[in-house]
Each structure stands twice: as structure tokens, then as C-alpha cells.
Amino acid sequence: MTDIKQYDEHAYEIDTESAGKLAVDMETLKHFDLSDHQHGTAACGCCGCCFTGDCCGDEDCVKGKECGAKDCHKACRENNEHHDCAFCHLAFDSDEASHQEILNDLKELSQALAA
């Protein structure tokens, strides 16, 4: 990652070889533990159903229970704005090389913004 590009007031862009340009929501990055991420888990720590469209709008999501396909009040803002979201790719992209590349870029972005 050579330079920092900003989408808008709340999101930056990372450019990966494997997944292309991905949006990074700054509030999500602030609270995201890069060292403790698991595939299939959304950045918010919920089940990730908001990325698959099978989402609940109640506490079942937080408790990891099966969703009832209701509207989600925690849907990914970047996806709603038609960006490819870095955190969605982390949750659901099964390619380990891509996964590691995104984590590395998020770490670099986080360090660059902190400087």
C-alpha cells in the first residue's frame, strides 16, 4: 500500500491484488481486532448474516442463533453504498492469501492513520 485514498468522510480505500479495491469503514476499523479475526464472523462480531441477506433485526444475531431473514439494522454501510467492503471479504472470502493480504493492508492503513 503506497498511498491513502479516501472514499468519503467515513471510509478509506485499500487496493488489493486478489480482491481489487475495497472500502474500509473507519469506525469499524477502530474497533476491529486485526489479531483475532475469524472467517465467517462479521467485523461487528455478529453472525455476518447482514452480508448474506439472511439477517435478523433482533438479538438473535448477537447471540449467534439462526436468522429469520428480517431486515438488519446493522447492515454494512459500505455495501449499502455499493462499495466492496474489506470487512465483508474478510468474513466470507475463503481464499487464505486474499484474507492475509486484506489483513496486512488494514494493519498498514491503521498504522498510517495513527501516525
CSV table of all heavy atoms in Angstrom, one decimal, residues 16-38:
chain,number,residue,atom,x,y,z
A,16,THR,N,-6.1,-4.2,-3.2
A,16,THR,CA,-5.5,-5.5,-3.1
A,16,THR,C,-5.4,-6.1,-4.4
A,16,THR,O,-6.2,-5.9,-5.3
A,16,THR,CB,-6.4,-6.4,-2.2
A,16,THR,OG1,-7.6,-6.7,-2.8
A,16,THR,CG2,-6.6,-5.8,-0.8
A,17,GLU,N,-4.4,-7.0,-4.6
A,17,GLU,CA,-4.1,-7.7,-5.8
A,17,GLU,C,-5.2,-8.7,-6.0
A,17,GLU,O,-5.8,-8.9,-7.1
A,17,GLU,CB,-2.8,-8.4,-5.8
A,17,GLU,CG,-1.6,-7.4,-6.0
A,17,GLU,CD,-0.3,-8.2,-6.0
A,17,GLU,OE1,-0.3,-9.4,-6.4
A,17,GLU,OE2,0.7,-7.6,-5.6
A,18,SER,N,-5.6,-9.4,-5.0
A,18,SER,CA,-6.5,-10.5,-5.1
A,18,SER,C,-8.0,-10.1,-5.1
A,18,SER,O,-8.8,-10.8,-5.8
A,18,SER,CB,-6.3,-11.5,-4.0
A,18,SER,OG,-6.4,-10.8,-2.7
A,19,ALA,N,-8.4,-9.1,-4.4
A,19,ALA,CA,-9.8,-8.7,-4.3
A,19,ALA,C,-10.1,-7.4,-5.0
A,19,ALA,O,-11.3,-6.9,-5.0
A,19,ALA,CB,-10.2,-8.7,-2.9
A,20,GLY,N,-9.1,-6.7,-5.4
A,20,GLY,CA,-9.3,-5.3,-6.0
A,20,GLY,C,-9.5,-4.3,-5.0
A,20,GLY,O,-9.0,-4.4,-3.9
A,21,LYS,N,-10.1,-3.2,-5.3
A,21,LYS,CA,-10.3,-2.0,-4.4
A,21,LYS,C,-11.4,-2.3,-3.4
A,21,LYS,O,-12.5,-2.7,-3.8
A,21,LYS,CB,-10.6,-0.8,-5.2
A,21,LYS,CG,-9.5,-0.3,-6.1
A,21,LYS,CD,-9.9,1.0,-6.8
A,21,LYS,CE,-8.9,1.4,-7.9
A,21,LYS,NZ,-7.5,1.3,-7.6
A,22,LEU,N,-11.1,-2.1,-2.1
A,22,LEU,CA,-12.1,-2.4,-1.1
A,22,LEU,C,-12.2,-1.2,-0.2
A,22,LEU,O,-11.2,-0.5,0.1
A,22,LEU,CB,-11.6,-3.6,-0.2
A,22,LEU,CG,-11.4,-4.9,-1.0
A,22,LEU,CD1,-10.8,-6.0,0.0
A,22,LEU,CD2,-12.7,-5.5,-1.6
A,23,ALA,N,-13.4,-1.0,0.3
A,23,ALA,CA,-13.7,0.1,1.2
A,23,ALA,C,-13.5,-0.3,2.6
A,23,ALA,O,-13.7,-1.5,3.0
A,23,ALA,CB,-15.1,0.6,1.0
A,24,VAL,N,-13.0,0.6,3.4
A,24,VAL,CA,-12.7,0.4,4.8
A,24,VAL,C,-13.4,1.4,5.7
A,24,VAL,O,-13.0,2.6,5.6
A,24,VAL,CB,-11.2,0.4,5.2
A,24,VAL,CG1,-10.9,0.2,6.6
A,24,VAL,CG2,-10.4,-0.6,4.3
A,25,ASP,N,-14.5,1.1,6.3
A,25,ASP,CA,-15.2,2.0,7.2
A,25,ASP,C,-14.3,2.3,8.4
A,25,ASP,O,-13.8,1.4,9.1
A,25,ASP,CB,-16.5,1.4,7.7
A,25,ASP,CG,-17.3,2.3,8.5
A,25,ASP,OD1,-18.0,3.2,8.0
A,25,ASP,OD2,-17.2,2.1,9.8
A,26,MET,N,-14.1,3.6,8.7
A,26,MET,CA,-13.2,4.0,9.8
A,26,MET,C,-13.6,3.6,11.2
A,26,MET,O,-12.8,3.2,12.0
A,26,MET,CB,-12.9,5.5,9.7
A,26,MET,CG,-12.1,5.8,8.4
A,26,MET,SD,-10.8,4.7,7.9
A,26,MET,CE,-9.7,4.7,9.4
A,27,GLU,N,-14.9,3.7,11.4
A,27,GLU,CA,-15.4,3.3,12.7
A,27,GLU,C,-15.3,1.8,13.0
A,27,GLU,O,-14.9,1.4,14.1
A,27,GLU,CB,-16.9,3.7,12.9
A,27,GLU,CG,-17.1,5.2,13.1
A,27,GLU,CD,-16.3,5.7,14.4
A,27,GLU,OE1,-16.4,5.1,15.5
A,27,GLU,OE2,-15.6,6.7,14.2
A,28,THR,N,-15.5,1.0,11.9
A,28,THR,CA,-15.3,-0.4,12.1
A,28,THR,C,-13.9,-0.7,12.3
A,28,THR,O,-13.5,-1.6,13.2
A,28,THR,CB,-15.8,-1.1,10.8
A,28,THR,OG1,-17.2,-0.7,10.6
A,28,THR,CG2,-15.8,-2.6,11.0
A,29,LEU,N,-13.0,-0.1,11.6
A,29,LEU,CA,-11.5,-0.3,11.7
A,29,LEU,C,-11.1,0.0,13.1
A,29,LEU,O,-10.2,-0.7,13.7
A,29,LEU,CB,-10.7,0.5,10.7
A,29,LEU,CG,-9.2,0.2,10.7
A,29,LEU,CD1,-8.9,-1.2,10.4
A,29,LEU,CD2,-8.5,1.1,9.7
A,30,LYS,N,-11.6,1.1,13.7
A,30,LYS,CA,-11.2,1.5,15.1
A,30,LYS,C,-11.4,0.4,16.1
A,30,LYS,O,-10.7,0.2,17.0
A,30,LYS,CB,-11.9,2.8,15.5
A,30,LYS,CG,-11.4,4.0,14.9
A,30,LYS,CD,-12.2,5.2,15.4
A,30,LYS,CE,-12.0,6.4,14.5
A,30,LYS,NZ,-12.9,7.5,14.9
A,31,HIS,N,-12.5,-0.3,15.9
A,31,HIS,CA,-12.9,-1.3,16.9
A,31,HIS,C,-12.6,-2.8,16.5
A,31,HIS,O,-13.0,-3.7,17.2
A,31,HIS,CB,-14.4,-1.2,17.1
A,31,HIS,CG,-14.8,0.2,17.5
A,31,HIS,ND1,-14.5,0.7,18.8
A,31,HIS,CD2,-15.5,1.1,16.9
A,31,HIS,CE1,-15.0,1.9,18.8
A,31,HIS,NE2,-15.6,2.2,17.7
A,32,PHE,N,-11.9,-2.9,15.3
A,32,PHE,CA,-11.7,-4.2,14.8
A,32,PHE,C,-10.3,-4.8,15.3
A,32,PHE,O,-9.3,-4.1,15.1
A,32,PHE,CB,-11.7,-4.2,13.3
A,32,PHE,CG,-11.5,-5.5,12.6
A,32,PHE,CD1,-12.5,-6.4,12.6
A,32,PHE,CD2,-10.4,-5.8,11.8
A,32,PHE,CE1,-12.4,-7.6,12.0
A,32,PHE,CE2,-10.3,-7.0,11.2
A,32,PHE,CZ,-11.3,-7.9,11.3
A,33,ASP,N,-10.3,-5.9,15.9
A,33,ASP,CA,-9.1,-6.5,16.4
A,33,ASP,C,-8.5,-7.4,15.2
A,33,ASP,O,-8.9,-8.5,15.0
A,33,ASP,CB,-9.4,-7.4,17.6
A,33,ASP,CG,-8.1,-8.0,18.2
A,33,ASP,OD1,-7.0,-7.8,17.6
A,33,ASP,OD2,-8.2,-8.6,19.3
A,34,LEU,N,-7.4,-6.8,14.6
A,34,LEU,CA,-6.8,-7.5,13.5
A,34,LEU,C,-6.2,-8.8,13.8
A,34,LEU,O,-6.0,-9.7,13.0
A,34,LEU,CB,-5.7,-6.6,12.9
A,34,LEU,CG,-6.3,-5.3,12.2
A,34,LEU,CD1,-5.2,-4.3,12.0
A,34,LEU,CD2,-6.9,-5.7,10.8
A,35,SER,N,-5.8,-9.0,15.1
A,35,SER,CA,-5.1,-10.2,15.5
A,35,SER,C,-6.1,-11.3,15.9
A,35,SER,O,-5.7,-12.5,16.1
A,35,SER,CB,-4.2,-9.9,16.7
A,35,SER,OG,-5.0,-9.5,17.8
A,36,ASP,N,-7.4,-11.0,16.0
A,36,ASP,CA,-8.3,-12.0,16.5
A,36,ASP,C,-9.6,-12.2,15.6
A,36,ASP,O,-10.7,-12.3,16.0
A,36,ASP,CB,-8.8,-11.6,17.9
A,36,ASP,CG,-9.6,-12.7,18.6
A,36,ASP,OD1,-9.3,-13.9,18.3
A,36,ASP,OD2,-10.5,-12.4,19.3
A,37,HIS,N,-9.3,-12.2,14.2
A,37,HIS,CA,-10.5,-12.3,13.3
A,37,HIS,C,-10.7,-13.7,12.9
A,37,HIS,O,-9.7,-14.5,12.7
A,37,HIS,CB,-10.2,-11.4,12.1
A,37,HIS,CG,-11.3,-11.6,11.1
A,37,HIS,ND1,-12.6,-11.2,11.3
A,37,HIS,CD2,-11.4,-12.2,9.9
A,37,HIS,CE1,-13.4,-11.5,10.3
A,37,HIS,NE2,-12.7,-12.1,9.4
A,38,GLN,N,-11.9,-14.1,12.7
A,38,GLN,CA,-12.3,-15.5,12.3
A,38,GLN,C,-13.1,-15.4,11.0
A,38,GLN,O,-14.0,-14.6,10.9
A,38,GLN,CB,-13.0,-16.2,13.4
A,38,GLN,CG,-12.3,-16.4,14.7
A,38,GLN,CD,-13.1,-17.0,15.7
A,38,GLN,OE1,-14.3,-17.4,15.5
A,38,GLN,NE2,-12.6,-17.1,16.9
